Amino acid sequence: AKGEKIEIDEKAIEKISSLADGSFRDAVKILENLSLKTKKITADDIAGGNFDDFIGILVTRDSQKILENIEEKVKKGINIKNLIESTLGTVHLSLLAKNGIGNDTLEKFSVNDLLELTESLTIAKKQISSPVPQLSLEIAVVNFCKNQEKPQEVIKKPVKNEEVKVE
C-alpha cells in the first residue's frame, strides 16, 4: 500500500485478510478495487461479512436479481467462498429453527427448500476453483430458483375402465 501511496487502517487490513481467506491474489484484488475508489481505506469501505442483502434477494427467487447481486459483490472483491459459507450458516440456523431451536430468519423457505439449497451451495463451494469462481454459485442459485418456479406436477395415470367379472 505504501508503494501505491494508499493509506489503510489496521482494521481494514484485517478485514481484507479475512475476506481473502488466505489467498494473496484475492487480497490484492480487493485492495486494487478499493484503491480505485479512494486512497484512504478504512474498514467501513470494505464490503463483506454481512450478506443479508444476498439472502434477502434469494428469498425472492428472482434469479436475475441474484445474479446481479453476485456480480456486484465480485466487483467489490468479495470472496465467493465467504459468501457461500455465510449463506450456509444462515440456512443452518433456519433449519434448526424450523425444528424448534432458535429463531427462523428464512420463514419463507420450507425445510425441503433449505435442504435443496444446502446441497446446491455445498456443491458450489467444492467447485469454486474454476477459472470463474462465482460460476458455481451462479449455477446453484439459478437451479434453486428454477426448481422453485415450477411446482412439482402430480402425474396421474389414466384409469382403464375395465369390467370386473365375479365368478
Side-chain angles (χ1 to χ4, degrees):
K2 289 180 184 177
E4 299 294 324
K5 298 181 182 176
I6 299 170
E7 291 181 43
I8 184 166
D9 68 31
E10 193 67 32
K11 287 187 179 187
I13 292 171
E14 290 172 11
K15 200 167 183 182
I16 290 172
S17 174
S18 174
L19 289 172
D21 195 33
S23 169
F24 177 75
R25 185 181 66 172
D26 288 350
V28 169
K29 183 178 176 183
I30 293 168
L31 187 58
E32 284 176 345
N33 287 337
L34 290 167
S35 70
L36 295 174
K37 297 174 189 167
T38 181
K39 296 296 179 190
K40 188 174 182 177
I41 301 169
T42 66
D44 293 336
D45 296 321
I46 303 167
N50 183 351
F51 300 118
D52 290 343
D53 61 331
F54 175 75
I55 293 167
I57 297 169
L58 192 58
V59 168
T60 69
R61 295 180 170 102
D62 183 333
S63 56
Q64 180 180 349
K65 286 183 182 177
I66 295 169
L67 293 174
E68 289 170 351
N69 185 268
I70 293 170
E71 185 63 25
E72 179 184 315
K73 289 184 179 334
V74 168
K75 286 181 181 176
K76 289 181 179 178
I78 295 301
N79 181 299
I80 294 298
K81 181 179 175 189
N82 290 346
L83 175 57
I84 293 172
E85 287 175 350
S86 175
T87 305
L88 281 168
T90 302
V91 168
H92 173 245
L93 293 175
S94 180
L95 191 58
L96 290 175
K98 289 187 187 317
N99 287 283
I101 304 169
N103 296 321
D104 193 0
T105 58
L106 300 177
E107 294 174 355
K108 292 186 179 182
F109 286 150
S110 70
V111 171
N112 286 336
D113 290 339
L114 296 174
L115 295 174
E116 182 182 338
L117 189 56
T118 299
E119 184 177 340
S120 296
L121 292 174
T122 301
I123 291 168
K125 184 179 168 188
K126 290 177 184 175
Q127 297 175 344
I128 288 178
S129 62
S130 74
V132 182
Q134 69 269 27
L135 182 60
S136 61
L137 175 59
E138 292 168 342
I139 291 168
V141 296
V142 167
N143 281 335
F144 176 75
C145 291
K146 296 298 180 200
N147 288 340
Q148 301 307 315
E149 288 174 5
K150 299 175 185 173
Q152 293 198 0
E153 297 176 19
V154 177
I155 301 172
K156 295 182 180 178
K157 291 184 178 180
V159 179
K160 292 182 181 178
N161 193 3
E162 297 180 1
E163 291 183 25
V164 179
K165 294 181 181 178
V166 180
E167 296 180 11

